Amino acid sequence: MPYTDDEELPACPNCGTPNDTPSKVFSVIVEPKEGERGLTQRKVGMYQCSKCGTKYPIIVSRQKYLVIAEDQLKKIQSDVKDLKRTNEDLEQSVGSLKRNQEELEEMIKEKEKESQVKQLEVKLRALEGQVSYLKKEKGELEEKVSRFR
Amino acid sequence: MEVVTQYIDHKTELEQHIVALEAEQASLISDISALKERLTTLEMERHASSLSSEVEALRTEKAVLEEKISSYSVESVASSEGYQV
């Protein structure tokens, strides 16, 4: 397993020379200690120092495995399947609700526009009435003034 | 999209109509105010003219009456002194 820049290279325990390439990697299964659960798989790399020739092992990675009964595993798998289905249903519901929300927002915008137009129409009608009344009043006054001539 | 355009057109049309009517309303209010003032002036002029005629008539009537009174005074003096006028 190659090392990245961020990781510290394994160093020779004898002379401290870093080494990034193991000569061999093998897996080791470690049984649980008392009170622990599961097995641990360790990948161990064997390194040989290029300077002093010392051979030394370094644990490259660890993977823990739990051992459970088949019934229990099947139940967990079934639960996961159910949860995935529930999740899909919920995602569909959320999508549907979002679409409904968008439709409602659009409808509200339309209603607001209609309301604005209605208000303008009411104002227009009122103004038309007032202007008509004022025209009549002006006509009557002009008639009165003309009678003086 | 077409509905939105129609809405904007209708709204703009209404707003323009309202602006025009508001301008007409303001103009009519101003005209009516001026006409009321003119009418008041004309009514006062007519009243003044009528009053002048009445005063003139009263002056004439007064002058006639004064003339009549003065003629009675001369007649009365003449008869009391035995003159015939």
Side-chain angles (χ1 to χ4, degrees):
Chain A
M1 180 183 288
Y3 282 81
T4 62
D5 292 343
D6 295 340
E7 290 174 310
E8 203 173 309
L9 290 174
C12 172
N14 187 36
C15 66
T17 305
N19 189 352
D20 66 343
T21 314
S23 54
K24 192 181 173 189
V25 177
F26 54 91
S27 292
V28 180
I29 301 293
V30 183
E31 288 188 16
K33 292 176 190 168
E34 206 174 314
E36 282 186 349
R37 289 185 66 197
L39 302 167
T40 305
Q41 183 190 41
R42 287 180 186 161
K43 283 191 176 172
V44 181
M46 284 304 297
Y47 291 81
Q48 185 168 15
C49 181
S50 57
K51 199 172 178 184
C52 65
T54 306
K55 287 184 177 176
Y56 56 95
I58 296 286
I59 297 168
V60 178
S61 66
R62 284 187 183 85
Q63 176 71 52
K64 198 161 185 177
Y65 295 95
L66 288 175
V67 178
I68 60 165
E70 190 180 358
D71 290 350
Q72 202 179 346
L73 177 65
K74 280 183 178 169
K75 189 182 178 308
I76 288 168
Q77 285 171 334
S78 168
D79 286 351
V80 168
K81 207 173 172 182
D82 289 348
L83 282 169
K84 277 184 181 170
R85 206 175 300 127
T86 307
N87 189 38
E88 281 171 10
D89 290 348
L90 283 169
E91 279 174 351
Q92 278 183 0
S93 296
V94 168
S96 171
L97 283 168
K98 275 184 181 170
R99 280 192 296 278
N100 279 351
Q101 187 187 17
E102 283 169 6
E103 282 172 12
L104 282 168
E105 281 173 354
E106 195 60 35
M107 208 184 286
I108 286 168
K109 276 184 192 170
E110 282 299 315
K111 292 286 171 199
E112 279 174 354
K113 285 174 186 173
E114 279 177 26
S115 168
Q116 283 177 347
V117 167
K118 286 242 175 350
Q119 283 175 3
L120 284 171
E121 283 172 347
V122 167
K123 190 177 178 182
L124 183 68
R125 275 197 292 276
L127 267 172
E128 281 173 342
Q130 284 172 10
V131 166
S132 169
Y133 173 79
L134 288 169
K135 274 182 181 171
K136 193 180 165 196
E137 190 180 357
K138 186 185 172 188
E140 285 169 2
L141 283 166
E142 281 172 339
E143 176 69 25
K144 277 184 185 174
V145 169
S146 72
R147 269 191 245 128
F148 277 95
R149 289 171 189 157
Chain B
M1 187 59 86
E2 196 182 332
V3 175
V4 174
T5 314
Q6 279 177 357
Y7 158 75
I8 291 168
D9 287 349
H10 187 46
K11 195 183 169 194
T12 309
E13 193 184 321
L14 284 169
E15 283 170 343
Q16 285 172 349
H17 202 163
I18 284 170
V19 168
L21 278 171
E22 280 173 343
E24 192 177 0
Q25 185 189 35
S27 169
L28 281 166
I29 288 169
S30 169
D31 288 352
I32 285 169
S33 176
L35 279 166
K36 279 180 178 172
E37 210 171 301
R38 173 93 181 114
L39 196 61
T40 307
T41 307
L42 287 167
E43 281 171 349
M44 284 172 79
E45 279 173 0
R46 176 176 276 189
H47 190 51
S49 169
S50 168
L51 272 173
S52 294
S53 302
E54 282 177 32
V55 167
E56 193 56 38
L58 287 167
R59 276 187 188 146
T60 309
E61 190 180 354
K62 184 188 170 192
V64 170
L65 286 168
E66 281 173 345
E67 181 65 29
K68 275 188 182 174
I69 287 167
S70 68
S71 70
Y72 277 114
S73 301
V74 171
E75 223 173 82
S76 162
V77 169
S79 66
S80 66
E81 289 178 1
Y83 297 112
Q84 284 196 338
V85 180

